[in-house]
Amino acid sequence: MGATLKAFVILSVMLWGICGCFGHGGYLYPQFYDKSCPKAPEIVKSVVAKAVAREARMAASLLRLHFHDCFVKGCDASLLLDSSGSIISEKRSNANRNSARGFEVIDEIKSALEKECPLTVSCADILALAARDSTVLAGGPHWEVPLGRRDSRGASLSGSNRNIPAPNSTIQTLITKFKLQGLDTVDLVALSGSHTIGQSRCTSFRQRLYNQTGNGRPDLTLDQGYAAQLRTRCPRSGGDSNLFPLDFVSPTVFDNWYFKNIVASKGLLNSDQVLFTRSEKTMEIVELYAKNNQLFIQHFANSMVKMGNISPLTGSRGEVRKNCRRINSS
């Protein structure tokens, strides 16, 4: 790893290790509910644990909801709103349609919290806590979650389509979309490591198998033996929703095999593999994480805190929804 990049990585992590709790919209802190709803973290953890015990994939699904919420209008639970009145749900976007899941688990958490302390814990904070708890249950790091977000009273379908990186994104698109959220190259690579758990549909990577650049040829940066395995269940047409692990070695364990796979040309999505093949800076970070699981774990936790602080609604802005799927009646 180059000396300049190494210094950049260390400085980035040190700065966010100091606090990382100033968002663009206000101040968040882990003790926010200590007096108003002290059992809140315990309730979230309990429901998430039951959900993941029922289905291991749910850990990745809940983690993904937090990402897809924060990248649109900030971490404000806009993703959770169903269409009604003037609201067009973000669940209809290309990034979420037929793939975002886990909403029923969030509903279950919210119901339990409303019984314990009505109109106190925001849906946005539920998403942040559920993402952390899901990561821990999969064997990943624990971090203190800064709290105090409030819930949006609107959604942005266009923002969801525009801001969330697609699975076939180029490296420049990825860097740009993360930079627009205040996230740097280290954050991009570390947060991409969430693909160490979870699954993806055939339709998300089919072009790599058959027609990567529009010339009817496969992606030559994909290991051809691995590609042949993928083709058995991801044909040229049909099978769109067939599921494949993003990390085929340890698909339900939060570790650095995702990065080892990329180094071996076995990243499933184009947006995974380009981290190693299209940018020297991201390639060096991928190599670093592939060799050092503890460093990846540490950086991931720091970057999750940083991401969770994207433009939160605080103070009197927004509201605390009673039902995460709809705004409170005015």
Side-chain angles (χ1 to χ4, degrees), residues 205-221 224 231 236:
F205 60 87
R206 174 183 280 123
Q207 90 285 345
R208 298 192 71 203
L209 304 179
Y210 302 102
N211 190 25
Q212 174 70 350
T213 57
N215 62 359
R217 301 191 61 177
D219 182 354
L220 297 180
T221 68
Q224 293 307 295
R231 286 190 196 98
R236 279 183 189 275

Short mmCIF file of all heavy atoms in Angstrom, two decimals, residues 205-221 224 231 236:
data_model
loop_
_atom_site.label_atom_id
_atom_site.label_comp_id
_atom_site.label_asym_id
_atom_site.label_seq_id
_atom_site.Cartn_x
_atom_site.Cartn_y
_atom_site.Cartn_z
N PHE A 205 -26.60 -9.05 -12.36
CA PHE A 205 -25.24 -9.26 -12.89
C PHE A 205 -25.23 -10.02 -14.21
O PHE A 205 -24.16 -10.35 -14.73
CB PHE A 205 -24.37 -10.01 -11.86
CG PHE A 205 -24.89 -11.37 -11.49
CD1 PHE A 205 -24.56 -12.49 -12.24
CD2 PHE A 205 -25.72 -11.53 -10.40
CE1 PHE A 205 -25.04 -13.75 -11.89
CE2 PHE A 205 -26.21 -12.79 -10.04
CZ PHE A 205 -25.87 -13.90 -10.80
N ARG A 206 -26.39 -10.27 -14.80
CA ARG A 206 -26.47 -11.06 -16.03
C ARG A 206 -25.56 -10.51 -17.14
O ARG A 206 -24.95 -11.25 -17.90
CB ARG A 206 -27.91 -11.14 -16.53
CG ARG A 206 -28.04 -11.82 -17.89
CD ARG A 206 -29.46 -11.82 -18.40
NE ARG A 206 -30.25 -12.87 -17.78
CZ ARG A 206 -31.38 -12.66 -17.10
NH1 ARG A 206 -31.83 -11.42 -16.94
NH2 ARG A 206 -32.04 -13.67 -16.58
N GLN A 207 -25.51 -9.17 -17.26
CA GLN A 207 -24.73 -8.61 -18.37
C GLN A 207 -23.26 -9.03 -18.29
O GLN A 207 -22.59 -9.15 -19.32
CB GLN A 207 -24.87 -7.08 -18.40
CG GLN A 207 -23.85 -6.29 -17.59
CD GLN A 207 -24.11 -6.33 -16.09
OE1 GLN A 207 -25.18 -6.73 -15.63
NE2 GLN A 207 -23.11 -5.94 -15.30
N ARG A 208 -22.75 -9.30 -17.08
CA ARG A 208 -21.35 -9.72 -16.94
C ARG A 208 -21.12 -11.09 -17.54
O ARG A 208 -20.01 -11.43 -17.96
CB ARG A 208 -20.93 -9.74 -15.47
CG ARG A 208 -21.00 -8.40 -14.77
CD ARG A 208 -20.30 -8.46 -13.43
NE ARG A 208 -18.86 -8.55 -13.59
CZ ARG A 208 -18.05 -9.05 -12.67
NH1 ARG A 208 -18.53 -9.54 -11.53
NH2 ARG A 208 -16.74 -9.08 -12.89
N LEU A 209 -22.17 -11.90 -17.59
CA LEU A 209 -22.03 -13.27 -18.09
C LEU A 209 -22.16 -13.36 -19.60
O LEU A 209 -21.63 -14.30 -20.22
CB LEU A 209 -23.10 -14.17 -17.44
CG LEU A 209 -23.13 -14.20 -15.90
CD1 LEU A 209 -24.25 -15.12 -15.43
CD2 LEU A 209 -21.78 -14.66 -15.36
N TYR A 210 -22.87 -12.42 -20.21
CA TYR A 210 -23.21 -12.57 -21.63
C TYR A 210 -22.90 -11.35 -22.49
O TYR A 210 -22.64 -11.51 -23.68
CB TYR A 210 -24.70 -12.90 -21.75
CG TYR A 210 -25.11 -14.14 -21.01
CD1 TYR A 210 -25.78 -14.05 -19.78
CD2 TYR A 210 -24.82 -15.42 -21.49
CE1 TYR A 210 -26.15 -15.18 -19.07
CE2 TYR A 210 -25.19 -16.57 -20.79
CZ TYR A 210 -25.86 -16.44 -19.59
OH TYR A 210 -26.23 -17.57 -18.89
N ASN A 211 -22.98 -10.14 -21.93
CA ASN A 211 -22.94 -8.97 -22.81
C ASN A 211 -22.46 -7.74 -22.04
O ASN A 211 -23.18 -6.76 -21.91
CB ASN A 211 -24.34 -8.73 -23.39
CG ASN A 211 -24.33 -7.69 -24.49
OD1 ASN A 211 -23.32 -7.46 -25.14
ND2 ASN A 211 -25.48 -7.06 -24.69
N GLN A 212 -21.23 -7.80 -21.55
CA GLN A 212 -20.75 -6.77 -20.64
C GLN A 212 -20.67 -5.38 -21.28
O GLN A 212 -21.06 -4.39 -20.68
CB GLN A 212 -19.37 -7.16 -20.09
CG GLN A 212 -18.69 -6.11 -19.23
CD GLN A 212 -19.36 -5.89 -17.89
OE1 GLN A 212 -20.45 -6.38 -17.63
NE2 GLN A 212 -18.72 -5.13 -17.03
N THR A 213 -20.19 -5.30 -22.51
CA THR A 213 -20.01 -3.98 -23.12
C THR A 213 -20.87 -3.79 -24.35
O THR A 213 -20.61 -2.92 -25.19
CB THR A 213 -18.53 -3.77 -23.50
OG1 THR A 213 -18.12 -4.84 -24.37
CG2 THR A 213 -17.64 -3.76 -22.27
N GLY A 214 -21.92 -4.62 -24.50
CA GLY A 214 -22.81 -4.46 -25.63
C GLY A 214 -22.33 -5.16 -26.89
O GLY A 214 -22.92 -5.01 -27.96
N ASN A 215 -21.25 -5.95 -26.77
CA ASN A 215 -20.72 -6.64 -27.94
C ASN A 215 -20.98 -8.14 -27.92
O ASN A 215 -20.39 -8.91 -28.67
CB ASN A 215 -19.21 -6.39 -28.08
CG ASN A 215 -18.43 -6.94 -26.88
OD1 ASN A 215 -19.01 -7.48 -25.95
ND2 ASN A 215 -17.11 -6.81 -26.92
N GLY A 216 -21.88 -8.57 -26.99
CA GLY A 216 -22.24 -9.98 -26.91
C GLY A 216 -21.17 -10.85 -26.27
O GLY A 216 -21.23 -12.08 -26.36
N ARG A 217 -20.21 -10.23 -25.57
CA ARG A 217 -19.14 -10.99 -24.94
C ARG A 217 -19.18 -10.81 -23.43
O ARG A 217 -19.59 -9.76 -22.93
CB ARG A 217 -17.78 -10.56 -25.48
CG ARG A 217 -17.66 -10.73 -26.99
CD ARG A 217 -16.23 -10.56 -27.44
NE ARG A 217 -15.35 -11.54 -26.82
CZ ARG A 217 -14.04 -11.64 -27.11
NH1 ARG A 217 -13.50 -10.82 -28.01
NH2 ARG A 217 -13.30 -12.53 -26.52
N PRO A 218 -18.74 -11.83 -22.68
CA PRO A 218 -18.78 -11.73 -21.21
C PRO A 218 -17.71 -10.78 -20.68
O PRO A 218 -16.82 -10.35 -21.40
CB PRO A 218 -18.50 -13.18 -20.76
CG PRO A 218 -17.71 -13.77 -21.88
CD PRO A 218 -18.24 -13.14 -23.13
N ASP A 219 -17.80 -10.47 -19.41
CA ASP A 219 -16.85 -9.62 -18.72
C ASP A 219 -15.58 -10.43 -18.46
O ASP A 219 -15.60 -11.40 -17.69
CB ASP A 219 -17.47 -9.14 -17.40
CG ASP A 219 -16.56 -8.19 -16.64
OD1 ASP A 219 -15.40 -8.00 -17.06
OD2 ASP A 219 -17.01 -7.65 -15.62
N LEU A 220 -14.49 -10.03 -19.07
CA LEU A 220 -13.25 -10.80 -18.94
C LEU A 220 -12.55 -10.57 -17.61
O LEU A 220 -11.57 -11.24 -17.31
CB LEU A 220 -12.31 -10.45 -20.10
CG LEU A 220 -12.85 -10.82 -21.49
CD1 LEU A 220 -11.85 -10.42 -22.57
CD2 LEU A 220 -13.17 -12.31 -21.57
N THR A 221 -13.06 -9.62 -16.79
CA THR A 221 -12.49 -9.46 -15.45
C THR A 221 -13.12 -10.44 -14.46
O THR A 221 -12.75 -10.47 -13.29
CB THR A 221 -12.67 -8.03 -14.91
OG1 THR A 221 -14.05 -7.77 -14.68
CG2 THR A 221 -12.11 -7.00 -15.89
N GLN A 224 -13.49 -17.07 -15.28
CA GLN A 224 -14.35 -17.78 -16.22
C GLN A 224 -14.92 -19.09 -15.67
O GLN A 224 -16.00 -19.52 -16.06
CB GLN A 224 -13.60 -18.01 -17.54
CG GLN A 224 -13.30 -16.71 -18.29
CD GLN A 224 -14.55 -15.84 -18.50
OE1 GLN A 224 -15.48 -16.23 -19.20
NE2 GLN A 224 -14.59 -14.66 -17.86
N ARG A 231 -23.68 -19.21 -14.80
CA ARG A 231 -24.55 -19.37 -15.97
C ARG A 231 -25.53 -20.54 -15.81
O ARG A 231 -26.59 -20.54 -16.44
CB ARG A 231 -23.72 -19.59 -17.24
CG ARG A 231 -23.03 -18.34 -17.74
CD ARG A 231 -22.42 -18.54 -19.12
NE ARG A 231 -21.46 -17.49 -19.41
CZ ARG A 231 -20.14 -17.60 -19.27
NH1 ARG A 231 -19.60 -18.75 -18.86
NH2 ARG A 231 -19.35 -16.57 -19.55
N ARG A 236 -29.42 -16.61 -20.25
CA ARG A 236 -29.54 -15.35 -21.02
C ARG A 236 -30.89 -14.69 -20.81
O ARG A 236 -31.00 -13.48 -20.79
CB ARG A 236 -29.36 -15.63 -22.51
CG ARG A 236 -27.93 -15.74 -22.94
CD ARG A 236 -27.85 -15.94 -24.45
NE ARG A 236 -26.48 -16.25 -24.83
CZ ARG A 236 -25.53 -15.36 -25.07
NH1 ARG A 236 -25.80 -14.07 -24.97
NH2 ARG A 236 -24.32 -15.74 -25.41
#
